[in-house]
Amino acid sequence: MVTAPLPPLARTPDEWADVVRTWGGRPFHARQLFRWLHSRGVLAPDQMTDLPRELRTNLSGLELERAFSVVSAQRSADDTRKLLLRLRDGATVETVLIPGVTGGKSDLPSPVPPPLELDADAAAADDDEEDSLAPSNASVRVTQCVSTQVGCAMGCVFCASGVAGLKRHLGADEIVAQVVAGRSHLDAAERLSNVVFMGMGEPLHNYEATARALRLLMHPEGTALSARRITVSTSGLVPEIARLGTDFGGNVGLAVSLHAADDETRSRLMPINKKYPLPVLMGALRDYPLRRRRRITIEYTMVAGRNDDLAQASKLCKLLRGLAVKVNLIPMNPIGSGVLGPPPQERVLAFQRVLCDAGYSCFIRRRRGDDVSAACGQLALLGAKPKVRVDRT
Ligand code: SAH
Ligand code: SF4
């Protein structure tokens, strides 16, 4: 059987070595090339000054620069940046850069009295004391959110990607291309510190590409992110959660979109729950080989009148008992269909109170980049043309 050659940005240094050898090059040239692409974000062979001329000529034939183009870069008032990338086949995909927050600014009032908390940093790793970032002068840490599919097949009713439906999977090269593109949109004071697989698409429905992208992002000659600085978010694909745990030894951060604490409520919001109901999903979370001092992030998108009553909060406390988790409450971002929306702030705070009183770390996710449709669940709004009418002003 003839297999298609790997797209250039999907190749590891070892895989490049096989190609480079046929051009008369040496394995160390392959490592240099990988560094140009993944560590420096340089795709133009004529800028790869330490490579022999013949190799650069051969590389030109691959048309690396045609892997993607950035068709728009929007910056929101809070400095969140949304990049729209056009891929080789014309498909478009979004990625978001979210700078860390130094102050306690939030669009939700800080609840009093403490210890209720607001989580300013999306779902970035929470074990920063074990930091493994290389020393750098750039002081502002940036979390990048990447997409793994064009659209999504999971059909969650509150999500623009789900409403759009699945157009196609992204390749590993197209996932890491988002990080390569993001690098050139970082400010001088910024450095990439975390990558979250929380953009458009269900990463575990595209497991092979996601796993390869994880390996590429962790490769020491490339972006060199440690596994704990990467989080994969899933709507709950049970076999692939187990696979991820085995393949990466529990080192990759796991976020699970729960959104309800009983099967009836969850199935109404997320069709995937009919295939993998809560008892099965919770079993997979208990079995995830989590590293010491790590926690699974539980995402709970709050939808008014659907999953926001305090009885759900109490059920959630029960459901999560014994698991190492932190809970992120995400007031639903409007997606334009007009039917579903976020609960009032008081309800979100009351829900958080129930979880905090039961001893859970529970944060309310700030809405970042809302003015450029870069917030959770809005990523399909501009790029992928959802089937619903969008009434955004
Ligand atoms: N498919 C994966 C990852 C992408 S979605 C998953 O579902 O986990 C990333 C997060 O955004 C999920 O927790 C999802 O539930 C949430 N989300 C989707 N639509 C949203 C919306 N309209 N408002 C707020 N959060 C939303
Ligand atoms: Fe897909 Fe995640 Fe959106 Fe559900 S929430 S439709 S799984 S992207």
Side-chain angles (χ1 to χ4, degrees):
M1 192 180 81
V2 182
T3 47
L6 273 171
L9 277 177
R11 293 175 192 159
T12 61
D14 285 347
E15 288 158 348
W16 270 119
D18 294 338
V19 179
V20 163
R21 196 175 306 116
T22 66
W23 296 339
R26 310 276 303 279
F28 74 87
H29 291 133
R31 288 197 299 276
Q32 285 170 322
L33 170 57
F34 188 82
R35 268 202 296 275
W36 280 112
L37 298 174
H38 294 271
S39 175
R40 300 179 186 140
V42 170
L43 300 183
D46 57 356
Q47 289 175 28
M48 301 178 184
T49 45
D50 56 1
L51 289 184
R53 186 169 324 187
E54 315 80 77
L55 286 194
R56 285 190 260 157
T57 308
N58 279 301
L59 275 175
S60 310
L62 297 182
E63 299 183 314
L64 293 168
E65 294 105 311
R66 287 195 53 233
F68 66 87
S69 57
V70 178
V71 286
S72 73
Q74 292 170 276
R75 195 175 187 120
S76 81
D78 63 11
D79 280 335
T80 298
R81 269 142 280 164
K82 186 174 85 159
L83 310 183
L84 183 67
L85 268 58
R86 178 167 293 122
L87 305 170
R88 271 184 203 264
D89 68 348
T92 52
V93 72
E94 287 117 330
T95 182
V96 183
L97 299 170
I98 310 156
V101 174
T102 42
K105 231 164 24 128
S106 168
D107 57 351
L108 286 169
S110 197
V112 277
L116 303 190
E117 302 163 275
L118 285 161
D119 183 16
D121 244 347
D126 57 340
D127 294 313
D128 277 358
E129 66 275 17
E130 292 180 32
D131 205 322
S132 62
L133 274 183
S136 157
N137 290 332
S139 52
V140 180
R141 291 176 172 198
V142 173
T143 295
Q144 181 164 8
C145 175
V146 294
S147 297
T148 53
Q149 296 176 317
V150 184
C152 182
M154 298 300 130
C156 303
V157 298
F158 49 81
C159 173
S161 308
V163 173
L166 180 66
K167 303 277 177 357
R168 72 167 173 88
H169 293 300
L170 295 183
D173 57 320
E174 295 171 319
I175 299 172
V176 297
Q178 298 167 54
V179 177
V180 172
R183 183 167 291 117
S184 57
H185 288 263
L186 291 175
D187 293 347
E190 293 177 338
R191 61 181 163 147
L192 180 69
S193 71
N194 294 77
V195 172
V196 294
F197 285 58
M198 289 188 183
M200 207 194 298
E202 167 52 55
L204 298 188
H205 182 213
N206 186 15
Y207 187 86
E208 296 296 343
T210 293
R212 179 175 274 271
L214 289 169
R215 292 200 176 92
L216 290 165
L217 291 173
M218 286 180 219
H219 199 287
E221 308 268 7
T223 308
L225 284 172
S226 85
R228 73 167 65 90
R229 300 205 152 272
I230 307 181
T231 299
V232 171
S233 175
T234 179
S235 54
L237 272 62
V238 165
E240 286 77 17
I241 291 174
R243 206 171 157 196
L244 187 77
T246 305
D247 289 354
F248 294 92
N251 288 309
V252 170
L254 182 67
V256 176
S257 297
L258 212 56
H259 310 325
D262 65 67
D263 279 323
E264 198 188 331
T265 310
R266 193 165 190 265
S267 293
R268 262 191 251 126
L269 295 170
M270 308 174 72
I272 189 67
N273 192 64
K274 292 177 197 138
K275 190 161 180 195
Y276 303 116
L278 281 169
V280 181
L281 176 56
M282 299 317 287
L285 300 193
R286 279 179 223 291
D287 291 344
Y288 192 74
L290 203 60
R291 310 308 292 179
R292 217 166 55 85
R293 296 167 68 200
R294 295 298 306 267
R295 292 181 287 179
I296 294 173
T297 301
I298 300 295
E299 294 165 282
Y300 197 103
T301 295
M302 295 193 66
V303 187
R306 307 294 166 117
N307 64 356
D308 63 337
D309 61 283
L310 299 187
Q312 276 292 322
S314 303
K315 279 190 206 168
L316 187 58
C317 294
K318 245 186 168 160
L319 190 69
L320 297 177
R321 200 155 290 154
L323 272 174
V325 291
K326 70 166 182 172
V327 181
N328 276 343
L329 301 178
I330 316 165
M332 183 193 156
N333 294 309
I335 61 164
S337 58
V339 188
L340 303 176
Q345 284 182 18
E346 312 78 66
R347 175 52 66 94
V348 179
L349 293 172
F351 201 97
Q352 182 193 35
R353 164 74 67 196
V354 173
L355 280 137
C356 288
D357 285 350
Y360 291 98
S361 293
C362 179
F363 304 89
I364 298 170
R365 178 93 63 83
R366 286 185 55 201
R367 283 160 61 150
R368 306 293 305 270
D370 197 29
D371 53 331
V372 294
S373 289
C376 293
Q378 295 181 308
L379 284 181
L381 282 183
L382 300 180
K385 301 225 172 49
K387 286 174 198 147
V388 292
R389 198 163 65 86
V390 177
D391 290 324
R392 285 184 66 79
T393 48

